[in-house]
């Protein structure tokens, strides 16, 4: 088991903090990265933090980390709803995979945002806790590993 947690972010999250702050808050993706590092590094884990707007890149990154990672934390963003290649890649991962959404996808204005296709292949989901959800997901991976899961 490795000591790296891969934190993946899907399309448009590079704009976090610039749009719709009433839903997603004012923090940027750099703030999210700092939060993840602050949770992981004192426990002896490294964070590999990435964002992409391209589905094939997301699949490649999950595949590359298939073995040897402590865990994956993923906010699939709009890939959540229809990106079956990403779902298949997650299914093949050999480590815990935590799905994170900044907003509560079950109480959004658009009904389609409630139905994640990813949850069925993830270890768990955190949704609606803002960027704190990323920190909790990182801590959960570490907690699982400390108990030999
Ligand atoms: O709540 C989340 O974290 C989401 O995964 C964000 C996705 C959205 O499609 C999901 O339904 C929920 C991406 C939202 C659009 O991108 C933005 C990025 C920054 C600021 C505003 C929107």
């Amino acid at each position: 088991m490795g000591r790296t947690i891969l934190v993946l972010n899907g399309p448009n999250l590079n704009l976090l903090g610039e749009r719709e702050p009433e839903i997603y808050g004012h923090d940027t993706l750099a703030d999210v990265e700092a939060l993840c590092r602050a949770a992981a590094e004192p426990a002896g884990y490294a964070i590999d933090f990435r964002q992409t707007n391209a589905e094939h890149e997301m699949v490649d990154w999950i595949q590359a980390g298939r073995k040897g990672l402590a865990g994956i934390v993923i906010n699939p963003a709009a890939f959540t709803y229809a990106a079956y290649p990403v779902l298949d890649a997650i299914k093949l991962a050999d480590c815990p995979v935590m799905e994170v959404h900044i907003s509560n996808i079950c109480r959004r204005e658009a009904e389609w945002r409630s139905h994640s296709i990813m949850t069925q292949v993830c270890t768990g989901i955190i949704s609606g806790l803002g960027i704190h959800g990323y920190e909790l997901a990182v801590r959960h991976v570490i907690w699982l590993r400390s108990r030999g899961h």
Side-chain angles (χ1 to χ4, degrees), residues 68-83:
L69 286 172
I72 298 174
V73 172
I74 182 168
N75 183 343
F79 292 154
T80 302
Y81 307 106

Side-chain angles (χ1 to χ4, degrees), residues 90-110:
I90 291 173
K91 218 169 166 178
L92 298 172
D94 209 14
C95 61
V97 182
M98 294 295 297
E99 178 181 356
V100 172
H101 299 280
I102 297 166
S103 65
N104 179 347
I105 59 171
C106 295
R107 60 175 294 189
R108 297 290 301 274
E109 75 301 337

